[in-house]
Amino acid sequence: MDITSDDLSGVIPTSDAELDKGKVVQFYTLYKAPSGAKREYGVIILQNGELLPQSGIAEGWLKVRKESRGKVSTPEEENFFKKLEELEKMAKKNSKGVWVLTGGFIETTYDLPDAKAFAEKHTGESIDAIVERVVSGDRVIVRLLLSPSKHVQIIVAIAGIRAPKKASNVDGREYPAEPLTDESFQFVEHRLHQRNVKADILGVSPQNQLICAVKHPNGSIAEFILKAGLARCIDFHSTLLGAEMKTLRQAEKHAKDNKLGIFKGLVETKKSGGREAEATVSRILRPDTIVVRMKAGGEKTVQLSSIRGPKPRDGKQTPFEPEAKEYLRKRLIGKHVKVTIDGVKPASEGYEEREVATIISGNKNVALALVEAGYASVIRHRKDDGR
């Protein structure tokens, strides 16, 4: 096999070494896996002429695959493996990397049984870290470098933002991915994967995950992803972020003003109530969404303003969804109501764009009645939301 004839050029999108992350490289294939995964084994040539895996073996971070010896088919390949074995022998002799005899070991913890205690101990600290993997637009797995010999590798939530959710399956029910989920993920992965960052420990989420401000040398990733319109601000991190939350809101406002990303189809909500119209309730779609037949003609699907019915993804709330719908059905179906459109909610979470409205039946606000009955929770709007 002439290994130089298969020389190709390419880009390694993700790599575990700082040497080749995001760099244009060359590579050639030595052999392919005969069965199972379609995998090729070969050599990478860096821009400075350095070779992988040779340099990794020489530093003691890699070991030679003894079983690969049987796959060589040419004298050139035989010489290649001999060279690797010589480099490994030298690394052992000099006690490099994995061959170190005493000391030099890193103790890595992959689980935090008491994340709250860890957060309380390190709150306010800016810890050197490496992003090992990007999970989503607002979740990353980081290696916290607490000391040269003690690391913690754990998933953390990026403070102040909520990115579009991936597709999921909850209790056998499929939920599609939200729009721009992949773009949000790729935005963060391209900028942070295998990068050195600072992780400011701020607190713990209800899911017992650390909440951190993740900062690249060029700045906070939260600000950049918000400015690109690939995430939203979440206000319940405001107390953790303090004055930094203002910067994130300004970044989100930039995306809204320029109709970027998830805000591309955003329709500004009315700051003062719309005109009141009469209608008859014809269907109950969800505990917070109904269909009304307008007196002027035609049907309209509206969501009740400022409330949220039982969440179908929440196992604790799901049993109350049928009860909430029945509560509305008994009180509204066929009844005359007054409808005031308050604004438009952009498409999200698998739902189409829909109008939000205040519904009055008799002299009672329907949304308020649902909350009083315990079938809905109140949505706290930001001051700049307009609703």
Side-chain angles (χ1 to χ4, degrees), residues 50-66 80-92 96-99:
E50 194 169 345
L51 301 178
L52 298 178
Q54 285 91 321
S55 61
I57 292 173
E59 293 300 321
W61 299 122
L62 301 174
K63 293 182 178 181
V64 177
R65 284 176 172 266
K66 304 303 181 184
F80 172 79
F81 278 101
K82 282 184 178 179
K83 178 64 176 176
L84 295 186
E85 288 170 342
E86 289 173 5
L87 291 171
E88 184 180 68
K89 187 182 295 184
M90 188 63 66
K92 285 182 180 180
K96 286 189 172 184
V98 297
W99 308 111

Side-chain angles (χ1 to χ4, degrees), residues 244-263:
E244 287 187 43
M245 197 68 199
K246 182 179 179 181
T247 303
L248 299 189
R249 289 200 184 103
Q250 289 174 342
E252 183 188 55
K253 185 177 184 300
H254 169 84
K256 285 183 175 180
D257 291 345
N258 291 279
K259 303 291 191 295
L260 301 176
I262 57 179
F263 304 110

Side-chain angles (χ1 to χ4, degrees), residues 27-306:
F27 65 91
Y28 57 81
T29 300
L30 282 174
Y31 61 89
K32 299 178 181 179
S35 61
K38 294 181 179 179
R39 185 174 297 169
E40 298 182 2
Y41 296 86
V43 177
I44 294 171
I45 307 170
L46 304 183
Q47 291 177 349
N48 62 3
E50 194 169 345
L51 301 178
L52 298 178
Q54 285 91 321
S55 61
I57 292 173
E59 293 300 321
W61 299 122
L62 301 174
K63 293 182 178 181
V64 177
R65 284 176 172 266
K66 304 303 181 184
E67 66 272 19
S68 298
R69 265 305 205 150
K71 297 183 175 66
V72 299
S73 57
T74 68
E76 196 169 12
E77 292 174 3
E78 177 68 28
N79 290 334
F80 172 79
F81 278 101
K82 282 184 178 179
K83 178 64 176 176
L84 295 186
E85 288 170 342
E86 289 173 5
L87 291 171
E88 184 180 68
K89 187 182 295 184
M90 188 63 66
K92 285 182 180 180
K93 182 179 179 181
N94 295 323
S95 297
K96 286 189 172 184
V98 297
W99 308 111
V100 65
L101 299 177
T102 58
F105 295 104
I106 297 175
E107 177 190 344
T108 302
T109 301
Y110 296 92
D111 185 32
L112 286 179
D114 194 344
K116 186 177 180 181
F118 181 89
E120 289 174 350
K121 180 180 179 181
H122 296 283
T123 293
E125 293 184 23
S126 187
I127 300 175
D128 287 327
I130 298 170
V131 176
E132 294 285 3
R133 186 162 69 88
V134 175
V135 179
S136 66
D138 55 16
R139 296 286 190 282
V140 293
I141 294 176
V142 296
R143 176 179 287 268
L144 300 172
L145 312 180
L146 301 182
S147 74
S149 60
K150 189 173 183 179
H151 296 176
V152 173
Q153 185 168 313
I154 197 76
I155 186 170
V156 303
I158 300 174
I161 65 170
R162 177 194 175 280
K165 292 182 179 178
K166 295 181 178 181
S168 60
N169 184 306
V170 180
D171 297 328
R173 185 172 178 179
E174 296 288 340
Y175 294 91
E178 295 179 3
L180 300 183
T181 297
D182 290 342
E183 289 81 353
S184 175
F185 166 79
Q186 290 164 8
F187 183 94
V188 178
E189 184 182 55
H190 178 69
R191 289 158 177 80
L192 293 190
H193 185 243
Q194 290 300 323
R195 297 296 203 274
N196 289 58
V197 298
K198 290 283 189 180
D200 296 353
I201 311 297
L202 301 178
V204 179
S205 73
Q207 293 76 34
N208 207 39
Q209 291 179 352
L210 290 182
I211 299 173
C212 299
V214 179
K215 298 179 179 179
H216 183 274
N218 291 335
S220 168
I221 188 63
E223 181 182 351
F224 287 111
I225 195 171
L226 285 169
K227 210 166 188 177
L230 294 174
R232 298 176 186 273
C233 281
I234 48 175
D235 275 350
F236 56 84
H237 286 177
S238 296
T239 54
L240 301 176
L241 285 163
E244 287 187 43
M245 197 68 199
K246 182 179 179 181
T247 303
L248 299 189
R249 289 200 184 103
Q250 289 174 342
E252 183 188 55
K253 185 177 184 300
H254 169 84
K256 285 183 175 180
D257 291 345
N258 291 279
K259 303 291 191 295
L260 301 176
I262 57 179
F263 304 110
K264 187 175 182 180
L266 181 66
V267 178
E268 295 294 335
T269 56
K270 299 178 180 179
K271 294 187 178 181
S272 58
R275 291 185 59 184
E276 187 176 85
E278 294 186 5
T280 302
V281 179
S282 57
R283 279 181 290 163
I284 309 297
L285 297 182
R286 289 182 294 278
D288 54 13
T289 307
I290 66 175
V291 178
V292 293
R293 188 166 55 251
M294 306 304 293
K295 187 176 181 180
E299 285 192 333
K300 188 186 291 287
T301 300
V302 296
Q303 181 172 332
L304 299 176
S305 292
S306 301

